[in-house]
Amino acid sequence: MNDRTCIVTRRQSGPDELIRFVVGPDGAVVPDLKRNLPGRGCWVTADRAHVDKAARKGLFGRVLKTELSVPADIGDLVDRLLAKSALGSLGLARKAGVVALGATKVESAVRDGSALFVLHAGEASEDGVRKIAQARRATVHLGGPEIRAYKLFSEQEMGLALGGTNVIHAAVLAGDAGRSAEKRTVALDRYRGGSPDDLAMFAAIAGKNEAAEDVE
């Protein structure tokens, strides 16, 4: 089996679309998010459903061909590690000065196209999210970038990572630290099943643009 073939789907993918697992010194399966732990590993499509399925069907032991144990909470464990990685990278982005906090600054960063992505706390109001979503749609209609928005963390988690209080809306801006934070945020979002509402919004925008081109 190819080293980067999902043991559940048997499909080959790039490393960013998979999670590597190895057997730790204690004989337990360990997620290797940085892909640098020693030993023979196996790969699973990077979302919760496939990790849970690999554990449920006993695929880790079957593929690695060794005596091992699978933590009962392995799906939760991967989620916690991905969330910790994403929050840590957000903290580094803040220290690098590429984070805008507060609805007004976030909306401004969206409209001028400097935002890589937007974060809303789980406690964010529908009205606050809607206003920023309108700015994101307007930016796309004016030929600007598609700026994704994620709701992955609580207000407390965002505040601790971004060094503020009452952090409800944040935008991460361009720069090396910002792109690193984006990569880890996308990984967590993918693992949790993605943002279907967000994807639907941009699909609708694309459909309208195509319709307009047909008319022209």
Side-chain angles (χ1 to χ4, degrees):
M1 183 177 292
N2 186 282
D3 284 346
R4 289 181 181 171
T5 297
C6 173
I7 64 174
V8 178
T9 67
R10 301 300 179 96
R11 290 196 296 266
Q12 295 182 21
S13 301
D16 288 341
E17 298 174 350
L18 299 163
I19 297 173
R20 183 174 186 259
F21 291 85
V22 299
V23 181
D26 61 353
V29 172
V30 177
D32 178 18
L33 299 186
K34 294 183 178 180
R35 303 187 287 272
N36 60 5
L37 293 179
R40 184 179 178 219
C42 62
W43 300 79
V44 179
T45 298
D47 62 50
R48 175 68 180 266
H50 285 89
V51 171
D52 285 344
K53 188 172 184 178
R56 187 172 65 251
K57 290 185 171 291
L59 298 181
F60 291 112
R62 191 183 309 172
V63 171
L64 294 174
K65 298 178 181 179
T66 187
E67 291 288 333
L68 55 79
S69 62
V70 181
D73 66 341
I74 191 166
D76 289 334
L77 173 61
V78 174
D79 187 282
R80 291 195 298 271
L81 291 174
L82 287 170
K84 181 179 179 181
S85 175
L87 288 166
S89 68
L90 289 171
L92 293 176
R94 174 186 64 83
K95 291 179 181 178
V98 291
V99 174
L101 300 180
T104 300
K105 291 183 179 180
V106 169
E107 184 174 344
S108 177
V110 167
R111 290 189 181 278
D112 67 22
S114 63
L116 286 177
F117 66 97
V118 169
L119 286 170
H120 302 296
E123 297 87 344
S125 68
E126 291 184 9
D127 185 56
V129 172
R130 183 170 58 252
K131 288 179 179 178
I132 293 173
Q134 289 171 348
R136 291 164 54 221
R137 285 194 292 270
T139 299
V140 173
H141 282 303
L142 292 172
E146 295 183 356
I147 299 169
R148 303 291 187 190
Y150 303 96
K151 187 182 282 189
L152 298 168
F153 306 112
S154 68
E155 176 186 345
Q156 181 180 23
E157 288 174 318
M158 286 178 58
L160 288 172
L162 299 174
T165 56
N166 301 318
V167 178
I168 301 296
H169 307 285
V172 177
L173 313 179
D176 290 344
R179 283 187 287 273
S180 178
E182 181 180 37
K183 180 178 179 179
R184 287 162 175 75
T185 300
V186 168
L188 177 60
D189 183 63
R190 181 194 298 124
Y191 185 76
R192 291 181 177 177
S195 303
D197 292 341
D198 209 44
L199 295 175
M201 183 189 83
F202 283 113
I205 290 172
K208 289 179 181 178
N209 289 342
E210 289 174 2
E213 290 174 1
D214 290 340
V215 171
E216 292 173 358

